[in-house]
Amino acid sequence: MEHFEITKTPEGFHIEGFPDAVKVIRIDGRKARKLADLALHKADLNFALECLEEINRAPEQPHVLRQALWRAAVVHFIKCFGASKARFSLDARTVYKGDAGAMEPYWYFDSLRNKHLVHDENSYAQCLPGAVLNRKDIGPKIAKIVCVSVAGDTLEQANYNNLHLLTCRAREWVVAQFDALCNVLTSELESEPYEVLIERQGMKYSVPGPDDVHRQRNAL
């Protein structure tokens, strides 16, 4: 899986590094959709790793920033495995096959995301309501109603190491699948006549608008 520089031209986007190219043709179908899904998974996993690296890069960062980076890393990691109507989800048992120690920390982060960071369901966040009671000879009896909010801190070294290892392993699996599928698609396209390939629709990007935030992304 390589990265190429893309520049904006009056005609659209231009992918650098291919001096003999005349067109970027669109590929469709089930395999093309899976390829796109794998690329999106890699982008999320890369973002999770970048968040983890930023936590290490500046340990003196404010607590709120470190927590934001940590939560973003967990959310984008689990996003690749969660149910989606627009792209296929990674299967943890497939990705971590052969690694007996991977599933326990994976399920930890799955529950951390689903039952604490995104949805408030477990005891990692608690709020204790109470009343401050004055001495018997002081009125009123109740000085104040208070709530004490407590949240468990999950950004610790062991958790950090586990998330980093899981994310790196998932990215390796995604890249291997992506590269293998690219080889298959390349072979299929090479078997077609040039005249058929050149008539294919060019790759086109449509800028999403405000209303698209409510809609499911179209499949290829």
Side-chain angles (χ1 to χ4, degrees), residues 4 15 30 55 58 69 86 94 98 133 172 184:
F4 301 98
I15 302 178
R30 179 180 58 83
I55 292 173
L69 289 167
T94 300
L133 181 63
E172 290 172 3
V184 172

Side-chain angles (χ1 to χ4, degrees), residues 6-213:
I6 298 177
T7 56
K8 183 73 168 63
T9 68
E11 293 77 27
F13 293 104
H14 178 74
I15 302 178
E16 304 290 345
F18 302 93
D20 298 324
V22 295
K23 186 179 183 181
V24 181
I25 59 175
R26 177 184 173 92
I27 54 176
D28 300 292
R30 179 180 58 83
K31 293 174 185 174
R33 179 179 180 178
K34 183 175 182 180
L35 190 73
D37 290 349
L38 287 166
L40 291 173
H41 282 312
K42 182 174 182 290
D44 281 328
L45 294 169
N46 279 343
F47 183 78
L49 288 172
E50 288 170 4
C51 289
L52 292 175
E53 289 166 6
E54 284 299 322
I55 292 173
N56 264 349
R57 187 168 289 121
E60 71 282 357
Q61 289 172 339
H63 175 78
V64 64
L65 184 54
R66 289 169 57 80
Q67 284 298 314
L69 289 167
W70 173 243
R71 294 179 185 209
V74 173
V75 168
H76 278 78
F77 167 70
I78 293 297
K79 177 183 176 183
C80 295
F81 297 87
S84 172
K85 295 180 180 179
R87 73 183 187 191
F88 86 93
S89 300
L90 301 184
D91 179 75
R93 291 184 175 86
T94 300
V95 172
Y96 302 114
K97 185 177 181 180
D99 187 349
M103 291 309 299
E104 183 176 348
Y106 166 79
W107 286 119
Y108 170 84
F109 289 113
D110 182 72
S111 292
L112 183 65
R113 184 268 184 201
N114 295 328
K115 299 181 183 300
H116 175 53
L117 299 182
V118 176
H119 305 288
D120 181 22
E121 296 180 10
N122 62 26
S123 60
Y124 274 57
Q126 298 183 40
C127 187
L128 311 174
V132 179
L133 181 63
N134 282 329
R135 298 196 319 263
K136 184 176 182 180
D137 60 327
I138 297 293
K141 293 185 286 294
I142 303 300
K144 193 73 174 180
I145 298 295
V146 297
C147 284
V148 177
S149 297
V150 183
D153 187 4
T154 58
L155 177 50
E156 55 187 34
Q157 193 62 53
N159 284 342
Y160 181 99
N161 292 343
N162 282 337
L163 183 59
H164 192 275
L165 288 170
L166 288 171
T167 306
C168 286
R169 177 73 181 274
R171 186 174 63 173
E172 290 172 3
W173 186 91
V174 166
V175 169
Q177 294 292 311
F178 181 94
D179 290 344
L181 192 50
C182 280
N183 291 336
V184 172
L185 287 165
T186 298
S187 296
E188 292 178 355
L189 291 169
E190 284 286 351
S191 68
E192 294 188 25
Y194 186 86
E195 293 72 22
V196 174
L197 293 173
I198 196 66
E199 291 300 321
R200 282 192 176 221
Q201 181 182 6
M203 192 169 65
K204 183 180 179 181
Y205 171 70
S206 298
V207 179
D211 291 339
D212 288 309
V213 74

